Amino acid sequence: QVQLVESGGGLVQAGTSLRLSCAASGFTFSRYIMAWFRHAPEKEREFVARIDWNGARTNYGDAVKGRFTISRDNAESTVWLQMNSLKPDDTAVYYCAADLWWDGGGRSPSKYDHWGRGTQVTVSS
């Protein structure tokens, strides 16, 4: 059974850092583009970051560019999101997602085939 399990969320103060992890199982991790999305209350699900199958290329949403870093280890079937200089506007449930490599990834949640249940990140001022 396909599983993506996020961890590492919590309550932190603005200006601090968190590192989220997503452990994958039940599919061939190295064949998938991986991404992070976030969903704040009463807002649309927002693209955060993605990384290609071998980690050579990354892309970030404008709101997090320069502060967040996505990485992966195919041997460990894990993708991370390093979140620095956190702001209250970063408060959201963060989800990892997977898209088959030939599907091209993208910024739309509808492109992605597998999703985790999410981990809550709350940033206080």
Side-chain angles (χ1 to χ4, degrees), residues 105-124:
R107 293 170 175 258
S108 173
S110 65
K111 292 283 293 183
Y112 290 80
D113 304 299
H114 306 306
W115 291 84
R117 293 188 298 173
T119 185
Q120 176 71 48
V121 173
T122 303
V123 184
S124 63

Side-chain angles (χ1 to χ4, degrees), residues 8-20 83-88 90-91 94 120-125:
L11 173 63
V12 298
Q13 293 184 344
T16 62
S17 298
L18 279 175
R19 183 173 181 255
L20 306 182
M83 309 164 65
N84 297 328
S85 301
L86 283 163
K87 305 174 181 179
D90 295 320
T91 296
Y94 283 72
Q120 176 71 48
V121 173
T122 303
V123 184
S124 63
S125 61

Side-chain angles (χ1 to χ4, degrees), residues 33-34 50-60 70 72:
I33 298 164
M34 299 299 299
R50 72 171 186 262
I51 186 166
D52 71 357
W53 67 275
N54 64 356
R57 297 177 62 186
T58 59
N59 296 94
Y60 298 92
I70 188 171
R72 70 188 293 163

Side-chain angles (χ1 to χ4, degrees), residues 8-67:
L11 173 63
V12 298
Q13 293 184 344
T16 62
S17 298
L18 279 175
R19 183 173 181 255
L20 306 182
S21 297
C22 176
S25 61
F27 65 99
T28 305
F29 182 77
S30 62
R31 294 180 182 175
Y32 282 78
I33 298 164
M34 299 299 299
W36 289 92
F37 291 82
R38 65 188 184 185
H39 194 186
E42 301 182 1
K43 294 184 178 181
E44 297 295 319
R45 187 164 295 196
E46 178 186 14
F47 170 78
V48 175
R50 72 171 186 262
I51 186 166
D52 71 357
W53 67 275
N54 64 356
R57 297 177 62 186
T58 59
N59 296 94
Y60 298 92
D62 290 341
V64 307
K65 192 174 298 181
R67 298 187 296 119

Side-chain angles (χ1 to χ4, degrees), residues 3-4 8 15 71 101 119:
Q3 287 189 316
L4 293 172
S71 59
W101 69 269
T119 185

